[in-house]
Amino acid sequence: HVQLVVSGGGSVQAGGSLRLSCSASGDALGRYCMAWFRQFPGKEREEVAAVYSGGGSPWIRDSVKGRFTTSQDYAENRVHLQVTSLEPEDTAMYYCAAARSACYRGIYYTLWGQGTQVTVS
């Protein structure tokens, strides 16, 4: 039974940075397409990044490209989302998600972490 645990959110001032982490138990994340989503109040979740260890470059949403980056620590079975130059418009709940396959457009994520709040003032 795979579980994802998200950590690293918090409150920062505009221009600040945070490192979000998604840790997994129960299976090796290297077999999964790992994604990061965020959800603004009253809005649908939007995908901001996705990465697969088996090949291909990480995908980063255009609106955050240059400010958000992904990294992977498969020895520790976790992935990270580094968010920099934060803006108040980045205030949202951030989630990680996983699907046991390579990443592809329209992939359905079956596993979700609990989310971590990022607040930028």
Side-chain angles (χ1 to χ4, degrees):
H1 180 62
V2 179
Q3 288 188 311
L4 304 178
V5 177
V6 183
S7 61
S11 296
V12 297
Q13 292 188 333
S17 301
L18 288 170
R19 189 192 197 203
L20 310 184
S21 297
C22 177
S23 299
S25 60
D27 201 355
L29 288 183
R31 301 187 178 104
Y32 291 78
C33 176
M34 299 299 302
W36 289 93
F37 284 74
R38 64 184 180 183
Q39 187 169 25
F40 303 110
K43 303 289 187 181
E44 296 286 322
R45 290 180 189 179
E46 66 175 24
E47 191 170 2
V48 295
V51 62
Y52 177 64
S53 68
S57 300
W59 171 84
I60 306 292
R61 189 178 190 88
D62 284 346
S63 62
V64 301
K65 203 170 286 186
R67 299 191 299 119
F68 289 16
T69 56
T70 61
S71 62
Q72 298 81 249
D73 183 348
Y74 292 113
E76 295 292 329
N77 216 32
R78 63 176 66 138
V79 296
H80 306 285
L81 181 70
Q82 184 76 34
V83 295
T84 64
S85 301
L86 283 163
E87 304 164 354
E89 294 73 23
D90 295 315
T91 295
M93 186 72 77
Y94 285 71
Y95 299 87
C96 73
R100 203 174 191 278
S101 76
C103 298
Y104 57 89
R105 184 184 291 273
I107 191 170
Y108 180 75
Y109 295 100
T110 57
L111 300 168
W112 291 86
Q114 83 285 11
T116 187
Q117 178 68 36
V118 171
T119 302
V120 186
S121 60

